[in-house]
Amino acid sequence: MADPLQAALNEALNSLVQTRPENPVEFLAHKFAELANATEEEAEDPRIAASHAKRRLNVYAEPMRFDPNDGWEPPVHPKSDEAKSAIAAVMQRNFLLNTLDGEQQEILKNAFLEKNVSAGTTIITQGDEGDNFYIIHKGICEIFVKGVGLVLTCREGDSFGELALMYDAPRAATVVAKTDCDLLALDRITFKRILMDTTMRKRELYKNFLERVPILESLTSVERLTLADALEEAEYDEGDFIIEEGDEGTSFYLIMDGECKCTKKNGEAEEVEVFRRLTTGDYFGEIALLRKQPRAASIIATQRVKTVSIEEEAFVRLLGPLEDILKRNMSSYDAWQQKANAIPADDTADTQ
């Protein structure tokens, strides 16, 4: 028998994905109240319980679980160089795919299947289980939502269908070909396996880095994972300023690859190095999570650098004020308050 808590959560989240309300919190509150009333009805009448159970089984798919040692091999579908170029262009724009490494992107390019559909063809139907992620190679598609109508027109290079695959949720909209279309379709299993593998590896890597940051030592393991999921990647070329002396500090950074130097301007406005070089695994700007104040030094890339970062506002939205988290350990809280109040402030001093 399905876990009733998991079933309720699934149904509420599926409704959230499909309706996309302006106030998600209020929507979920009403949804859980509705589910609570339904549960009371089920307790009173077994026929209602059976009806609800059947409907829920039809609404959401069982989350996919993979055995890394099951011998799975990604599919390979021959395609033109033009089609491969179209896939590569979409990957660079898509927030899910542009973080994949070269090998993973090549696997996905080979796994896409070319599909031709005629004008008027329904490609996906709202409420159905997701089967493919699509890229429009040629043609125009229209997206409709029940009760709303036409919400979006997609053209060459646009993509759709990834949300249902990501969250094991029903399709949130119906997509119809307005013209004859050449589509590129990626099957659900390949999509999930490649993205899940990438997501889980990066999540674990980020969590391990976060465990080394003293100001975050009071976070629980779950909170670190939540924070790891919210980190944003960025890349900088040699000579780029990642943060600049005097600017207001709003973000905390981890260096994933590359090297940076810490500098301050001297009397002649020249950048002078004031700290050791920062490399992979080092971090800076952590005081920005506790208090907004001018940066005490500049951090400049000395080679190609990849970072992940999070803004203070996003941190608060996820976990609440860092000040409250630090209060779990009052000695740590007092030490960081003294550091934040120090003048001049130097949020690179504890870089490791």
Side-chain angles (χ1 to χ4, degrees):
M1 180 179 293
D3 180 353
L5 175 60
Q6 185 64 53
L9 287 172
N10 282 343
E11 184 157 351
L13 290 174
N14 285 334
S15 297
L16 182 67
V17 169
Q18 290 187 54
T19 56
R20 299 174 184 274
E22 290 187 4
N23 189 330
V25 175
E26 184 178 10
F27 174 88
L28 286 173
H30 285 300
K31 188 64 183 177
F32 283 128
E34 177 185 312
L35 289 171
N37 291 334
T39 302
E40 292 175 359
E41 292 176 358
E42 290 172 5
E44 295 172 359
D45 191 337
R47 292 171 299 176
I48 294 177
S51 173
H52 286 180
K54 183 177 180 181
R55 176 172 63 83
R56 286 171 186 151
L57 285 172
N58 291 330
V59 167
Y60 42 80
E62 182 70 17
M64 298 179 72
R65 295 178 175 84
F66 302 117
D67 178 358
N69 301 312
D70 61 6
W72 175 82
E73 292 289 338
V76 176
H77 300 293
K79 56 186 64 69
S80 66
D81 290 339
E82 184 183 7
K84 286 185 177 180
S85 296
I87 296 170
V90 169
M91 283 183 171
Q92 293 307 310
R93 296 195 302 270
N94 187 284
F95 78 101
L96 288 171
L97 306 180
N98 62 13
T99 59
L100 300 178
D101 60 34
E103 180 182 357
Q104 291 166 324
Q105 290 197 7
E106 195 62 31
I107 290 173
L108 291 191
K109 286 179 191 176
N110 291 328
F112 272 96
L113 176 66
E114 294 183 271
K115 296 181 68 172
N116 307 112
V117 299
S118 303
T121 301
T122 298
I123 301 165
I124 63 176
T125 301
Q126 184 172 347
D128 283 358
E129 181 179 343
D131 55 355
N132 288 304
F133 164 62
Y134 294 94
I135 294 172
I136 302 174
H137 184 28
K138 295 178 182 177
I140 300 174
C141 296
E142 294 181 323
I143 300 180
F144 300 87
V145 173
K146 291 177 183 177
V148 179
L150 178 66
V151 295
L152 188 64
T153 298
C154 298
R155 293 177 170 79
E156 181 177 326
D158 290 334
S159 58
F160 55 87
E162 66 268 35
L163 291 179
L165 304 190
M166 283 177 62
Y167 300 115
D168 293 305
R171 295 295 195 185
T174 294
V175 181
V176 179
K178 184 178 181 180
T179 66
D180 292 348
C181 292
D182 294 342
L183 304 176
L184 295 160
L186 180 67
D187 70 274
R188 178 183 182 220
I189 292 176
T190 304
F191 180 92
K192 292 278 286 188
R193 291 193 76 128
I194 296 298
L195 287 176
M196 285 177 66
D197 175 66
T198 301
T199 300
M200 295 306 294
R201 283 194 295 110
K202 287 189 174 181
R203 193 186 200 207
E204 188 64 23
L205 176 65
Y206 295 168
K207 183 180 78 72
N208 291 339
F209 276 124
L210 292 170
E211 287 174 348
R212 299 167 52 188
V213 181
I215 199 170
L216 302 178
E217 65 183 4
S218 296
L219 293 179
T220 66
S221 179
V222 171
E223 286 171 334
R224 284 196 188 92
L225 286 173
T226 301
L227 186 56
D229 288 339
L231 293 173
E232 295 186 359
E233 290 189 359
E235 293 189 359
Y236 301 88
D237 292 322
E238 181 180 354
D240 286 349
F241 281 74
I242 302 174
I243 64 175
E244 192 163 359
E245 182 181 357
D247 286 352
E248 183 180 53
T250 59
S251 297
F252 159 66
Y253 296 83
L254 284 163
I255 299 176
M256 306 309 296
D257 189 40
E259 181 190 80
C260 302
K261 62 181 179 180
C262 310
T263 69
K264 292 176 71 72
K265 287 187 173 66
N266 62 15
E268 299 175 357
E270 295 175 335
E271 298 290 343
V272 178
E273 287 196 53
V274 294
F275 198 68
R276 68 169 178 83
R277 295 286 176 101
L278 307 179
T279 58
T280 302
D282 288 332
Y283 57 89
F284 54 90
E286 67 271 22
I287 290 299
L289 298 180
L290 188 60
R291 184 165 304 171
K292 290 186 176 70
Q293 57 188 25
R295 299 291 194 187
S298 296
I299 305 293
I300 305 171
T302 58
Q303 56 184 245
R304 184 74 170 171
V305 172
K306 179 185 290 186
T307 68
V308 291
S309 65
I310 188 167
E311 291 190 350
E312 185 268 343
E313 289 182 1
F315 185 97
V316 171
R317 206 163 49 239
L318 287 169
L319 302 177
L322 178 59
E323 185 173 4
D324 292 346
I325 293 171
L326 289 173
K327 285 180 180 177
R328 298 171 187 169
N329 182 334
M330 288 308 296
S331 61
S332 175
Y333 170 72
D334 291 340
W336 283 106
Q337 282 290 357
Q338 290 176 13
K339 179 175 173 59
N341 292 330
I343 300 177
D346 185 348
D347 59 359
T348 65
D350 281 324
T351 307
Q352 297 179 2

